Amino acid sequence: AQKVTQAQTEISVVEKEDVTLDCVYETRDTTYYLFWYKQPPSGELVFLIRRNSFDEQNEISGRYSWNFQKSTSSFNFTITASQVVDSAVYFCALSEVNTGGFKTIFGAGTRLFVKA
Amino acid sequence: SQTIHQWPATLVQPVGSPLSLECTVEGTSNPNLYWYRQAAGRGLQLLFYSVGIGQISSEVPQNLSASRPQDRQFILSSKKLLLSDSGFYLCAWEEQGNTEAFFGQGTRLTVV
């Protein structure tokens, strides 16, 4: 069975601090995909990144970076020099390849507060 | 370009009343479709997913049902709403092959 755990319910930081959001996943599949989404106060989910299970390279996109480690089943997300606009709920998600299709399971989310 | 429409945006319904939330996708064919619920202050819970017309998989036993009468239409229904059905419902689609999921704007349902 697949499972995504985001142990941090809420994180509060001051602007310009770096912050890491943790994500630990469980899966029996060897082929799977990991995602991060951002949910701002408006409610829509915004896609941030997808990573497949065969690509463990870390990725950097501006102030965002992701650390994928299969050995620890983790896919952590770091925001460097946080800004107030980063305040949102962030979801980590996992998709396994199931017969006939796919299903994406989300973690419970981490609410990030960035204070000015 | 692809777009997803979900309506209504907000809904207040009395306990025991029926429910029908509709989601349609444009600009793509044979997408995977999803219904999620987000209870207040909580994460996303996968309710149903569909990989084709008439093919519905349910993730959790509940008071809700889903249908896919057309390739790009996904409907979430209930015959009799419960107070516990209140929440934020999100429809999503993704292309076959597991690209990222695109979400609708959500429906905030309050059962009173």
PDB file of all heavy atoms in Angstrom, chain B residues 32-70:
ATOM      1  N   ASN B  32      -7.130  10.639 -16.813  1.00  0.00           N
ATOM      2  CA  ASN B  32      -7.460  10.102 -15.503  1.00  0.00           C
ATOM      3  C   ASN B  32      -8.156  11.236 -14.736  1.00  0.00           C
ATOM      4  O   ASN B  32      -7.716  12.380 -14.783  1.00  0.00           O
ATOM      5  CB  ASN B  32      -6.213   9.686 -14.731  1.00  0.00           C
ATOM      6  CG  ASN B  32      -5.513   8.504 -15.348  1.00  0.00           C
ATOM      7  OD1 ASN B  32      -6.134   7.673 -16.008  1.00  0.00           O
ATOM      8  ND2 ASN B  32      -4.218   8.420 -15.158  1.00  0.00           N
ATOM      9  N   LEU B  33      -9.231  10.902 -14.048  1.00  0.00           N
ATOM     10  CA  LEU B  33      -9.980  11.926 -13.306  1.00  0.00           C
ATOM     11  C   LEU B  33     -10.058  11.546 -11.832  1.00  0.00           C
ATOM     12  O   LEU B  33     -10.128  10.364 -11.496  1.00  0.00           O
ATOM     13  CB  LEU B  33     -11.394  12.071 -13.891  1.00  0.00           C
ATOM     14  CG  LEU B  33     -11.466  12.583 -15.333  1.00  0.00           C
ATOM     15  CD1 LEU B  33     -12.895  12.510 -15.854  1.00  0.00           C
ATOM     16  CD2 LEU B  33     -10.946  14.005 -15.410  1.00  0.00           C
ATOM     17  N   TYR B  34     -10.071  12.551 -11.000  1.00  0.00           N
ATOM     18  CA  TYR B  34     -10.015  12.326  -9.551  1.00  0.00           C
ATOM     19  C   TYR B  34     -10.989  13.243  -8.829  1.00  0.00           C
ATOM     20  O   TYR B  34     -11.203  14.386  -9.226  1.00  0.00           O
ATOM     21  CB  TYR B  34      -8.605  12.628  -9.009  1.00  0.00           C
ATOM     22  CG  TYR B  34      -7.499  11.817  -9.632  1.00  0.00           C
ATOM     23  CD1 TYR B  34      -6.905  12.215 -10.825  1.00  0.00           C
ATOM     24  CD2 TYR B  34      -7.036  10.646  -9.029  1.00  0.00           C
ATOM     25  CE1 TYR B  34      -5.888  11.476 -11.398  1.00  0.00           C
ATOM     26  CE2 TYR B  34      -6.011   9.907  -9.596  1.00  0.00           C
ATOM     27  CZ  TYR B  34      -5.445  10.324 -10.779  1.00  0.00           C
ATOM     28  OH  TYR B  34      -4.434   9.584 -11.339  1.00  0.00           O
ATOM     29  N   TRP B  35     -11.520  12.741  -7.708  1.00  0.00           N
ATOM     30  CA  TRP B  35     -12.213  13.579  -6.737  1.00  0.00           C
ATOM     31  C   TRP B  35     -11.474  13.448  -5.405  1.00  0.00           C
ATOM     32  O   TRP B  35     -11.229  12.342  -4.928  1.00  0.00           O
ATOM     33  CB  TRP B  35     -13.662  13.146  -6.528  1.00  0.00           C
ATOM     34  CG  TRP B  35     -14.621  13.687  -7.539  1.00  0.00           C
ATOM     35  CD1 TRP B  35     -15.282  12.985  -8.502  1.00  0.00           C
ATOM     36  CD2 TRP B  35     -15.058  15.043  -7.685  1.00  0.00           C
ATOM     37  NE1 TRP B  35     -16.090  13.817  -9.241  1.00  0.00           N
ATOM     38  CE2 TRP B  35     -15.972  15.085  -8.754  1.00  0.00           C
ATOM     39  CE3 TRP B  35     -14.777  16.234  -7.002  1.00  0.00           C
ATOM     40  CZ2 TRP B  35     -16.596  16.255  -9.173  1.00  0.00           C
ATOM     41  CZ3 TRP B  35     -15.388  17.400  -7.420  1.00  0.00           C
ATOM     42  CH2 TRP B  35     -16.290  17.405  -8.496  1.00  0.00           C
ATOM     43  N   TYR B  36     -11.124  14.610  -4.829  1.00  0.00           N
ATOM     44  CA  TYR B  36     -10.496  14.658  -3.524  1.00  0.00           C
ATOM     45  C   TYR B  36     -11.384  15.478  -2.589  1.00  0.00           C
ATOM     46  O   TYR B  36     -12.106  16.358  -3.014  1.00  0.00           O
ATOM     47  CB  TYR B  36      -9.126  15.344  -3.591  1.00  0.00           C
ATOM     48  CG  TYR B  36      -8.054  14.575  -4.307  1.00  0.00           C
ATOM     49  CD1 TYR B  36      -7.858  14.725  -5.678  1.00  0.00           C
ATOM     50  CD2 TYR B  36      -7.212  13.709  -3.610  1.00  0.00           C
ATOM     51  CE1 TYR B  36      -6.866  14.031  -6.337  1.00  0.00           C
ATOM     52  CE2 TYR B  36      -6.210  13.015  -4.261  1.00  0.00           C
ATOM     53  CZ  TYR B  36      -6.041  13.183  -5.617  1.00  0.00           C
ATOM     54  OH  TYR B  36      -5.049  12.490  -6.268  1.00  0.00           O
ATOM     55  N   ARG B  37     -11.246  15.201  -1.291  1.00  0.00           N
ATOM     56  CA  ARG B  37     -11.892  16.036  -0.289  1.00  0.00           C
ATOM     57  C   ARG B  37     -10.829  16.517   0.688  1.00  0.00           C
ATOM     58  O   ARG B  37      -9.954  15.765   1.103  1.00  0.00           O
ATOM     59  CB  ARG B  37     -12.975  15.274   0.473  1.00  0.00           C
ATOM     60  CG  ARG B  37     -13.611  16.103   1.596  1.00  0.00           C
ATOM     61  CD  ARG B  37     -14.818  15.420   2.174  1.00  0.00           C
ATOM     62  NE  ARG B  37     -14.504  14.121   2.725  1.00  0.00           N
ATOM     63  CZ  ARG B  37     -15.416  13.182   2.954  1.00  0.00           C
ATOM     64  NH1 ARG B  37     -16.681  13.390   2.676  1.00  0.00           N
ATOM     65  NH2 ARG B  37     -15.053  12.021   3.458  1.00  0.00           N
ATOM     66  N   GLN B  38     -10.968  17.774   1.039  1.00  0.00           N
ATOM     67  CA  GLN B  38     -10.077  18.360   2.032  1.00  0.00           C
ATOM     68  C   GLN B  38     -10.941  18.888   3.163  1.00  0.00           C
ATOM     69  O   GLN B  38     -11.633  19.894   3.008  1.00  0.00           O
ATOM     70  CB  GLN B  38      -9.252  19.487   1.406  1.00  0.00           C
ATOM     71  CG  GLN B  38      -8.223  20.079   2.339  1.00  0.00           C
ATOM     72  CD  GLN B  38      -7.381  21.138   1.646  1.00  0.00           C
ATOM     73  OE1 GLN B  38      -7.801  21.737   0.663  1.00  0.00           O
ATOM     74  NE2 GLN B  38      -6.188  21.390   2.154  1.00  0.00           N
ATOM     75  N   ALA B  39     -10.919  18.203   4.288  1.00  0.00           N
ATOM     76  CA  ALA B  39     -11.649  18.691   5.459  1.00  0.00           C
ATOM     77  C   ALA B  39     -10.892  19.885   6.029  1.00  0.00           C
ATOM     78  O   ALA B  39      -9.699  20.040   5.790  1.00  0.00           O
ATOM     79  CB  ALA B  39     -11.787  17.578   6.490  1.00  0.00           C
ATOM     80  N   ALA B  40     -11.587  20.712   6.765  1.00  0.00           N
ATOM     81  CA  ALA B  40     -11.000  21.954   7.274  1.00  0.00           C
ATOM     82  C   ALA B  40      -9.699  21.690   8.023  1.00  0.00           C
ATOM     83  O   ALA B  40      -9.665  20.900   8.960  1.00  0.00           O
ATOM     84  CB  ALA B  40     -11.993  22.662   8.194  1.00  0.00           C
ATOM     85  N   GLY B  41      -8.623  22.346   7.572  1.00  0.00           N
ATOM     86  CA  GLY B  41      -7.334  22.229   8.239  1.00  0.00           C
ATOM     87  C   GLY B  41      -6.647  20.891   8.058  1.00  0.00           C
ATOM     88  O   GLY B  41      -5.682  20.587   8.762  1.00  0.00           O
ATOM     89  N   ARG B  42      -7.122  20.122   7.108  1.00  0.00           N
ATOM     90  CA  ARG B  42      -6.537  18.788   6.923  1.00  0.00           C
ATOM     91  C   ARG B  42      -6.074  18.590   5.494  1.00  0.00           C
ATOM     92  O   ARG B  42      -6.256  19.437   4.628  1.00  0.00           O
ATOM     93  CB  ARG B  42      -7.563  17.736   7.321  1.00  0.00           C
ATOM     94  CG  ARG B  42      -7.983  17.841   8.781  1.00  0.00           C
ATOM     95  CD  ARG B  42      -9.029  16.827   9.141  1.00  0.00           C
ATOM     96  NE  ARG B  42      -8.508  15.466   9.060  1.00  0.00           N
ATOM     97  CZ  ARG B  42      -9.236  14.396   9.357  1.00  0.00           C
ATOM     98  NH1 ARG B  42     -10.494  14.531   9.719  1.00  0.00           N
ATOM     99  NH2 ARG B  42      -8.725  13.195   9.271  1.00  0.00           N
ATOM    100  N   GLY B  43      -5.460  17.438   5.264  1.00  0.00           N
ATOM    101  CA  GLY B  43      -4.901  17.155   3.947  1.00  0.00           C
ATOM    102  C   GLY B  43      -5.937  16.682   2.962  1.00  0.00           C
ATOM    103  O   GLY B  43      -7.133  16.649   3.232  1.00  0.00           O
ATOM    104  N   LEU B  44      -5.452  16.325   1.802  1.00  0.00           N
ATOM    105  CA  LEU B  44      -6.317  15.852   0.730  1.00  0.00           C
ATOM    106  C   LEU B  44      -6.559  14.352   0.862  1.00  0.00           C
ATOM    107  O   LEU B  44      -5.634  13.581   1.009  1.00  0.00           O
ATOM    108  CB  LEU B  44      -5.669  16.118  -0.620  1.00  0.00           C
ATOM    109  CG  LEU B  44      -5.604  17.577  -1.054  1.00  0.00           C
ATOM    110  CD1 LEU B  44      -4.738  17.698  -2.275  1.00  0.00           C
ATOM    111  CD2 LEU B  44      -6.985  18.112  -1.329  1.00  0.00           C
ATOM    112  N   GLN B  45      -7.804  13.994   0.774  1.00  0.00           N
ATOM    113  CA  GLN B  45      -8.171  12.590   0.821  1.00  0.00           C
ATOM    114  C   GLN B  45      -8.728  12.183  -0.537  1.00  0.00           C
ATOM    115  O   GLN B  45      -9.681  12.793  -1.025  1.00  0.00           O
ATOM    116  CB  GLN B  45      -9.225  12.356   1.904  1.00  0.00           C
ATOM    117  CG  GLN B  45      -9.692  10.919   2.005  1.00  0.00           C
ATOM    118  CD  GLN B  45     -10.838  10.764   2.989  1.00  0.00           C
ATOM    119  OE1 GLN B  45     -11.686  11.640   3.119  1.00  0.00           O
ATOM    120  NE2 GLN B  45     -10.861   9.640   3.685  1.00  0.00           N
ATOM    121  N   LEU B  46      -8.123  11.170  -1.148  1.00  0.00           N
ATOM    122  CA  LEU B  46      -8.615  10.686  -2.427  1.00  0.00           C
ATOM    123  C   LEU B  46      -9.923   9.939  -2.218  1.00  0.00           C
ATOM    124  O   LEU B  46      -9.988   8.996  -1.416  1.00  0.00           O
ATOM    125  CB  LEU B  46      -7.579   9.772  -3.076  1.00  0.00           C
ATOM    126  CG  LEU B  46      -7.964   9.147  -4.413  1.00  0.00           C
ATOM    127  CD1 LEU B  46      -8.206  10.218  -5.463  1.00  0.00           C
ATOM    128  CD2 LEU B  46      -6.882   8.176  -4.881  1.00  0.00           C
ATOM    129  N   LEU B  47     -10.957  10.367  -2.920  1.00  0.00           N
ATOM    130  CA  LEU B  47     -12.263   9.738  -2.806  1.00  0.00           C
ATOM    131  C   LEU B  47     -12.498   8.736  -3.930  1.00  0.00           C
ATOM    132  O   LEU B  47     -12.857   7.585  -3.699  1.00  0.00           O
ATOM    133  CB  LEU B  47     -13.364  10.800  -2.831  1.00  0.00           C
ATOM    134  CG  LEU B  47     -13.320  11.868  -1.757  1.00  0.00           C
ATOM    135  CD1 LEU B  47     -14.425  12.890  -1.989  1.00  0.00           C
ATOM    136  CD2 LEU B  47     -13.432  11.253  -0.377  1.00  0.00           C
ATOM    137  N   PHE B  48     -12.340   9.213  -5.156  1.00  0.00           N
ATOM    138  CA  PHE B  48     -12.600   8.370  -6.327  1.00  0.00           C
ATOM    139  C   PHE B  48     -11.588   8.710  -7.413  1.00  0.00           C
ATOM    140  O   PHE B  48     -11.105   9.829  -7.501  1.00  0.00           O
ATOM    141  CB  PHE B  48     -14.005   8.631  -6.907  1.00  0.00           C
ATOM    142  CG  PHE B  48     -15.125   8.376  -5.963  1.00  0.00           C
ATOM    143  CD1 PHE B  48     -15.660   9.411  -5.218  1.00  0.00           C
ATOM    144  CD2 PHE B  48     -15.640   7.096  -5.816  1.00  0.00           C
ATOM    145  CE1 PHE B  48     -16.704   9.189  -4.337  1.00  0.00           C
ATOM    146  CE2 PHE B  48     -16.684   6.859  -4.934  1.00  0.00           C
ATOM    147  CZ  PHE B  48     -17.215   7.904  -4.187  1.00  0.00           C
ATOM    148  N   TYR B  49     -11.297   7.706  -8.225  1.00  0.00           N
ATOM    149  CA  TYR B  49     -10.547   7.996  -9.439  1.00  0.00           C
ATOM    150  C   TYR B  49     -11.092   7.149 -10.576  1.00  0.00           C
ATOM    151  O   TYR B  49     -11.706   6.098 -10.345  1.00  0.00           O
ATOM    152  CB  TYR B  49      -9.040   7.818  -9.247  1.00  0.00           C
ATOM    153  CG  TYR B  49      -8.541   6.407  -9.101  1.00  0.00           C
ATOM    154  CD1 TYR B  49      -8.006   5.719 -10.183  1.00  0.00           C
ATOM    155  CD2 TYR B  49      -8.565   5.781  -7.864  1.00  0.00           C
ATOM    156  CE1 TYR B  49      -7.510   4.440 -10.044  1.00  0.00           C
ATOM    157  CE2 TYR B  49      -8.070   4.496  -7.716  1.00  0.00           C
ATOM    158  CZ  TYR B  49      -7.538   3.830  -8.805  1.00  0.00           C
ATOM    159  OH  TYR B  49      -7.057   2.559  -8.657  1.00  0.00           O
ATOM    160  N   SER B  50     -10.868   7.642 -11.774  1.00  0.00           N
ATOM    161  CA  SER B  50     -11.427   7.001 -12.963  1.00  0.00           C
ATOM    162  C   SER B  50     -10.410   7.041 -14.090  1.00  0.00           C
ATOM    163  O   SER B  50      -9.832   8.083 -14.376  1.00  0.00           O
ATOM    164  CB  SER B  50     -12.714   7.719 -13.389  1.00  0.00           C
ATOM    165  OG  SER B  50     -13.158   7.233 -14.638  1.00  0.00           O
ATOM    166  N   VAL B  51     -10.231   5.898 -14.729  1.00  0.00           N
ATOM    167  CA  VAL B  51      -9.293   5.825 -15.844  1.00  0.00           C
ATOM    168  C   VAL B  51     -10.027   5.731 -17.176  1.00  0.00           C
ATOM    169  O   VAL B  51      -9.387   5.654 -18.233  1.00  0.00           O
ATOM    170  CB  VAL B  51      -8.313   4.641 -15.682  1.00  0.00           C
ATOM    171  CG1 VAL B  51      -7.504   4.807 -14.408  1.00  0.00           C
ATOM    172  CG2 VAL B  51      -9.066   3.318 -15.667  1.00  0.00           C
ATOM    173  N   GLY B  52     -11.359   5.737 -17.146  1.00  0.00           N
ATOM    174  CA  GLY B  52     -12.117   5.690 -18.387  1.00  0.00           C
ATOM    175  C   GLY B  52     -13.609   5.797 -18.117  1.00  0.00           C
ATOM    176  O   GLY B  52     -14.049   5.723 -16.959  1.00  0.00           O
ATOM    177  N   ILE B  53     -14.368   5.953 -19.180  1.00  0.00           N
ATOM    178  CA  ILE B  53     -15.822   6.079 -19.054  1.00  0.00           C
ATOM    179  C   ILE B  53     -16.380   4.876 -18.312  1.00  0.00           C
ATOM    180  O   ILE B  53     -16.074   3.728 -18.648  1.00  0.00           O
ATOM    181  CB  ILE B  53     -16.479   6.192 -20.438  1.00  0.00           C
ATOM    182  CG1 ILE B  53     -16.037   7.473 -21.137  1.00  0.00           C
ATOM    183  CG2 ILE B  53     -18.007   6.175 -20.316  1.00  0.00           C
ATOM    184  CD1 ILE B  53     -16.543   7.593 -22.556  1.00  0.00           C
ATOM    185  N   GLY B  54     -17.184   5.163 -17.305  1.00  0.00           N
ATOM    186  CA  GLY B  54     -17.833   4.094 -16.555  1.00  0.00           C
ATOM    187  C   GLY B  54     -16.936   3.337 -15.603  1.00  0.00           C
ATOM    188  O   GLY B  54     -17.388   2.427 -14.918  1.00  0.00           O
ATOM    189  N   GLN B  55     -15.659   3.707 -15.552  1.00  0.00           N
ATOM    190  CA  GLN B  55     -14.713   3.014 -14.661  1.00  0.00           C
ATOM    191  C   GLN B  55     -14.416   3.896 -13.457  1.00  0.00           C
ATOM    192  O   GLN B  55     -13.753   4.915 -13.591  1.00  0.00           O
ATOM    193  CB  GLN B  55     -13.410   2.703 -15.402  1.00  0.00           C
ATOM    194  CG  GLN B  55     -13.585   1.814 -16.616  1.00  0.00           C
ATOM    195  CD  GLN B  55     -12.271   1.580 -17.319  1.00  0.00           C
ATOM    196  OE1 GLN B  55     -11.330   1.049 -16.740  1.00  0.00           O
ATOM    197  NE2 GLN B  55     -12.183   1.979 -18.575  1.00  0.00           N
ATOM    198  N   ILE B  56     -14.922   3.474 -12.321  1.00  0.00           N
ATOM    199  CA  ILE B  56     -14.761   4.256 -11.102  1.00  0.00           C
ATOM    200  C   ILE B  56     -14.154   3.373 -10.028  1.00  0.00           C
ATOM    201  O   ILE B  56     -14.617   2.250  -9.801  1.00  0.00           O
ATOM    202  CB  ILE B  56     -16.127   4.771 -10.584  1.00  0.00           C
ATOM    203  CG1 ILE B  56     -16.913   5.468 -11.706  1.00  0.00           C
ATOM    204  CG2 ILE B  56     -15.917   5.687  -9.383  1.00  0.00           C
ATOM    205  CD1 ILE B  56     -16.298   6.733 -12.210  1.00  0.00           C
ATOM    206  N   SER B  57     -13.136   3.906  -9.371  1.00  0.00           N
ATOM    207  CA  SER B  57     -12.547   3.209  -8.227  1.00  0.00           C
ATOM    208  C   SER B  57     -12.759   4.074  -6.997  1.00  0.00           C
ATOM    209  O   SER B  57     -12.500   5.271  -7.023  1.00  0.00           O
ATOM    210  CB  SER B  57     -11.055   2.972  -8.446  1.00  0.00           C
ATOM    211  OG  SER B  57     -10.852   2.097  -9.520  1.00  0.00           O
ATOM    212  N   SER B  58     -13.225   3.435  -5.950  1.00  0.00           N
ATOM    213  CA  SER B  58     -13.495   4.152  -4.711  1.00  0.00           C
ATOM    214  C   SER B  58     -12.396   3.850  -3.705  1.00  0.00           C
ATOM    215  O   SER B  58     -12.001   2.692  -3.537  1.00  0.00           O
ATOM    216  CB  SER B  58     -14.845   3.718  -4.140  1.00  0.00           C
ATOM    217  OG  SER B  58     -15.052   4.307  -2.865  1.00  0.00           O
ATOM    218  N   GLU B  59     -11.931   4.870  -3.067  1.00  0.00           N
ATOM    219  CA  GLU B  59     -10.835   4.695  -2.130  1.00  0.00           C
ATOM    220  C   GLU B  59     -11.298   4.508  -0.690  1.00  0.00           C
ATOM    221  O   GLU B  59     -10.619   3.866   0.102  1.00  0.00           O
ATOM    222  CB  GLU B  59      -9.894   5.905  -2.190  1.00  0.00           C
ATOM    223  CG  GLU B  59      -9.018   5.894  -3.424  1.00  0.00           C
ATOM    224  CD  GLU B  59      -8.150   4.653  -3.474  1.00  0.00           C
ATOM    225  OE1 GLU B  59      -7.286   4.476  -2.612  1.00  0.00           O
ATOM    226  OE2 GLU B  59      -8.353   3.825  -4.408  1.00  0.00           O
ATOM    227  N   VAL B  60     -12.392   5.100  -0.347  1.00  0.00           N
ATOM    228  CA  VAL B  60     -12.863   4.997   1.036  1.00  0.00           C
ATOM    229  C   VAL B  60     -14.375   4.789   1.039  1.00  0.00           C
ATOM    230  O   VAL B  60     -15.080   5.374   0.232  1.00  0.00           O
ATOM    231  CB  VAL B  60     -12.508   6.249   1.856  1.00  0.00           C
ATOM    232  CG1 VAL B  60     -11.015   6.364   2.039  1.00  0.00           C
ATOM    233  CG2 VAL B  60     -13.048   7.505   1.211  1.00  0.00           C
ATOM    234  N   PRO B  61     -14.853   3.938   1.934  1.00  0.00           N
ATOM    235  CA  PRO B  61     -16.318   3.767   2.039  1.00  0.00           C
ATOM    236  C   PRO B  61     -16.938   5.048   2.592  1.00  0.00           C
ATOM    237  O   PRO B  61     -16.412   5.642   3.508  1.00  0.00           O
ATOM    238  CB  PRO B  61     -16.461   2.607   3.027  1.00  0.00           C
ATOM    239  CG  PRO B  61     -15.204   2.604   3.807  1.00  0.00           C
ATOM    240  CD  PRO B  61     -14.124   3.111   2.889  1.00  0.00           C
ATOM    241  N   GLN B  62     -18.011   5.454   1.990  1.00  0.00           N
ATOM    242  CA  GLN B  62     -18.566   6.729   2.418  1.00  0.00           C
ATOM    243  C   GLN B  62     -19.966   6.898   1.846  1.00  0.00           C
ATOM    244  O   GLN B  62     -20.489   6.017   1.185  1.00  0.00           O
ATOM    245  CB  GLN B  62     -17.681   7.857   1.901  1.00  0.00           C
ATOM    246  CG  GLN B  62     -17.548   7.863   0.388  1.00  0.00           C
ATOM    247  CD  GLN B  62     -16.226   8.465  -0.016  1.00  0.00           C
ATOM    248  OE1 GLN B  62     -15.783   9.441   0.563  1.00  0.00           O
ATOM    249  NE2 GLN B  62     -15.575   7.865  -0.986  1.00  0.00           N
ATOM    250  N   ASN B  63     -20.458   8.059   2.092  1.00  0.00           N
ATOM    251  CA  ASN B  63     -21.805   8.414   1.705  1.00  0.00           C
ATOM    252  C   ASN B  63     -21.874   8.985   0.297  1.00  0.00           C
ATOM    253  O   ASN B  63     -22.890   9.506  -0.124  1.00  0.00           O
ATOM    254  CB  ASN B  63     -22.310   9.462   2.727  1.00  0.00           C
ATOM    255  CG  ASN B  63     -23.735   9.834   2.513  1.00  0.00           C
ATOM    256  OD1 ASN B  63     -24.566   8.979   2.251  1.00  0.00           O
ATOM    257  ND2 ASN B  63     -24.031  11.122   2.616  1.00  0.00           N
ATOM    258  N   LEU B  64     -20.792   8.908  -0.433  1.00  0.00           N
ATOM    259  CA  LEU B  64     -20.724   9.542  -1.737  1.00  0.00           C
ATOM    260  C   LEU B  64     -20.534   8.502  -2.831  1.00  0.00           C
ATOM    261  O   LEU B  64     -20.092   7.377  -2.576  1.00  0.00           O
ATOM    262  CB  LEU B  64     -19.537  10.520  -1.769  1.00  0.00           C
ATOM    263  CG  LEU B  64     -19.555  11.627  -0.725  1.00  0.00           C
ATOM    264  CD1 LEU B  64     -18.200  12.312  -0.668  1.00  0.00           C
ATOM    265  CD2 LEU B  64     -20.644  12.628  -1.035  1.00  0.00           C
ATOM    266  N   SER B  65     -20.855   8.909  -4.056  1.00  0.00           N
ATOM    267  CA  SER B  65     -20.617   8.062  -5.218  1.00  0.00           C
ATOM    268  C   SER B  65     -20.122   8.941  -6.352  1.00  0.00           C
ATOM    269  O   SER B  65     -20.248  10.173  -6.306  1.00  0.00           O
ATOM    270  CB  SER B  65     -21.896   7.327  -5.635  1.00  0.00           C
ATOM    271  OG  SER B  65     -22.902   8.249  -6.000  1.00  0.00           O
ATOM    272  N   ALA B  66     -19.534   8.325  -7.349  1.00  0.00           N
ATOM    273  CA  ALA B  66     -19.039   9.076  -8.496  1.00  0.00           C
ATOM    274  C   ALA B  66     -19.444   8.373  -9.774  1.00  0.00           C
ATOM    275  O   ALA B  66     -19.649   7.153  -9.786  1.00  0.00           O
ATOM    276  CB  ALA B  66     -17.521   9.222  -8.426  1.00  0.00           C
ATOM    277  N   SER B  67     -19.549   9.159 -10.817  1.00  0.00           N
ATOM    278  CA  SER B  67     -19.886   8.602 -12.127  1.00  0.00           C
ATOM    279  C   SER B  67     -19.125   9.352 -13.206  1.00  0.00           C
ATOM    280  O   SER B  67     -18.753  10.522 -13.026  1.00  0.00           O
ATOM    281  CB  SER B  67     -21.396   8.683 -12.384  1.00  0.00           C
ATOM    282  OG  SER B  67     -21.829  10.029 -12.384  1.00  0.00           O
ATOM    283  N   ARG B  68     -18.883   8.652 -14.286  1.00  0.00           N
ATOM    284  CA  ARG B  68     -18.193   9.254 -15.431  1.00  0.00           C
ATOM    285  C   ARG B  68     -19.005   8.903 -16.677  1.00  0.00           C
ATOM    286  O   ARG B  68     -18.683   7.951 -17.384  1.00  0.00           O
ATOM    287  CB  ARG B  68     -16.768   8.738 -15.542  1.00  0.00           C
ATOM    288  CG  ARG B  68     -15.964   9.425 -16.634  1.00  0.00           C
ATOM    289  CD  ARG B  68     -14.497   9.027 -16.526  1.00  0.00           C
ATOM    290  NE  ARG B  68     -13.708   9.608 -17.605  1.00  0.00           N
ATOM    291  CZ  ARG B  68     -12.377   9.522 -17.668  1.00  0.00           C
ATOM    292  NH1 ARG B  68     -11.704   8.881 -16.716  1.00  0.00           N
ATOM    293  NH2 ARG B  68     -11.720  10.073 -18.666  1.00  0.00           N
ATOM    294  N   PRO B  69     -20.039   9.659 -16.941  1.00  0.00           N
ATOM    295  CA  PRO B  69     -20.906   9.358 -18.077  1.00  0.00           C
ATOM    296  C   PRO B  69     -20.283   9.666 -19.435  1.00  0.00           C
ATOM    297  O   PRO B  69     -20.666   9.063 -20.444  1.00  0.00           O
ATOM    298  CB  PRO B  69     -22.136  10.239 -17.828  1.00  0.00           C
ATOM    299  CG  PRO B  69     -21.626  11.363 -16.985  1.00  0.00           C
ATOM    300  CD  PRO B  69     -20.533  10.787 -16.148  1.00  0.00           C
ATOM    301  N   GLN B  70     -19.334  10.590 -19.439  1.00  0.00           N
ATOM    302  CA  GLN B  70     -18.630  10.926 -20.678  1.00  0.00           C
ATOM    303  C   GLN B  70     -17.134  10.987 -20.392  1.00  0.00           C
ATOM    304  O   GLN B  70     -16.722  11.078 -19.231  1.00  0.00           O
ATOM    305  CB  GLN B  70     -19.112  12.284 -21.220  1.00  0.00           C
ATOM    306  CG  GLN B  70     -20.588  12.333 -21.543  1.00  0.00           C
ATOM    307  CD  GLN B  70     -21.001  13.697 -22.062  1.00  0.00           C
ATOM    308  OE1 GLN B  70     -20.293  14.298 -22.866  1.00  0.00           O
ATOM    309  NE2 GLN B  70     -22.144  14.188 -21.608  1.00  0.00           N
TER     310      GLN B  70
END
